Amino acid sequence: MLRNLILTIYTVIIVIAITVLILSNHTTETGIIEIGNYALVEVESNILEPKTVKGDLVISDKTDKDVKLKDIISYVTLQNGTTIIRTNKIVAITKDKNQKNIYSLKKEDGTIENIDDSCILGAYKMTIPLAGTIITYLLSQQGFYMVVLLPAMALAVFFLTDFLLDLKKRRK
């Protein structure tokens, strides 16, 4: 019974480790996880509450960039020289002097952020509650050590000890 439970835990750890490897291999330099035509984005604020809250994972369709007023989009922007990935609702669309679309998005502090088509990652498709926080933690060095490496090492020690005890019993 105990051995089956430990094997199940070990299998879960292996699945998590494989998932982390797949996600880390699909992460761009700017921190966007792109799998096929989809971008996985952690929600950074509660601006779209109750649809999404901080820590949720938003899946955006990268092929759907023909967005309209009130659409929810994921986009890339710069803040103090740092690339930030956000998800927000379009509150206005205007044209610049070159007749390109400028999308206005209301930030959590009430200010308006303007972006153009080149910033849009894709249109909102769905939300997975809390998955953004979990994935971000698992992709961090500390998360990988705590959730994958340490438990795997503890189980390896358990299996080695169990194997050695069985071997000792068989010799008697």
Side-chain angles (χ1 to χ4, degrees):
M1 175 73 176
L2 179 63
R3 189 175 283 185
N4 287 340
L5 177 65
I6 291 174
L7 281 172
T8 302
I9 293 170
Y10 201 65
T11 303
V12 168
I13 291 170
I14 290 171
V15 168
I16 291 171
I18 291 169
T19 302
V20 168
L21 288 173
I22 290 169
L23 291 176
S24 63
N25 283 329
H26 286 87
T27 303
T28 66
E29 291 175 8
T30 54
I32 303 163
I33 301 170
E34 295 180 346
I35 298 177
N37 292 329
Y38 297 97
L40 309 178
V41 178
E42 180 183 4
V43 177
E44 294 292 327
S45 73
N46 291 324
I47 191 80
L48 298 174
E49 193 173 16
K51 190 168 191 104
T52 65
V53 294
K54 187 175 182 174
D56 287 352
L57 182 72
V58 166
I59 300 175
S60 296
D61 185 352
K62 295 187 320 182
T63 61
D64 188 2
K65 294 186 180 182
D66 184 28
V67 294
K68 304 174 288 307
L69 188 65
K70 297 187 179 179
D71 280 356
I72 296 173
I73 60 169
S74 293
Y75 61 99
V76 178
T77 187
L78 287 175
Q79 184 174 342
N80 300 328
T82 305
T83 302
I84 306 290
I85 306 156
R86 291 193 174 126
T87 300
N88 210 332
K89 185 187 291 188
I90 299 171
V91 294
I93 302 174
T94 56
K95 300 270 186 194
D96 68 3
K97 62 183 177 184
N98 298 322
Q99 295 303 307
K100 289 187 175 184
N101 286 335
I102 301 296
Y103 304 95
S104 298
L105 307 129
K106 190 174 185 179
K107 292 171 40 175
E108 199 167 26
D109 63 5
T111 60
I112 297 293
E113 179 173 32
N114 294 316
I115 62 166
D116 62 18
D117 288 321
S118 67
C119 298
I120 297 175
L121 288 174
Y124 170 88
K125 289 300 169 202
M126 68 180 287
T127 300
I128 303 173
L130 295 175
T133 300
I134 293 167
I135 288 174
T136 299
Y137 182 71
L138 287 175
L139 290 175
S140 72
Q141 186 176 10
Q142 178 186 6
F144 185 77
Y145 287 158
M146 296 300 291
V147 176
V148 176
L149 204 54
L150 245 70
M153 288 173 41
L155 288 172
V157 168
F158 172 81
F159 281 124
L160 180 62
T161 305
D162 190 47
F163 173 75
L164 292 174
L165 289 173
D166 279 350
L167 193 61
K168 187 176 179 180
K169 284 181 187 176
R170 289 182 185 170
R171 285 191 178 175
K172 287 185 180 184

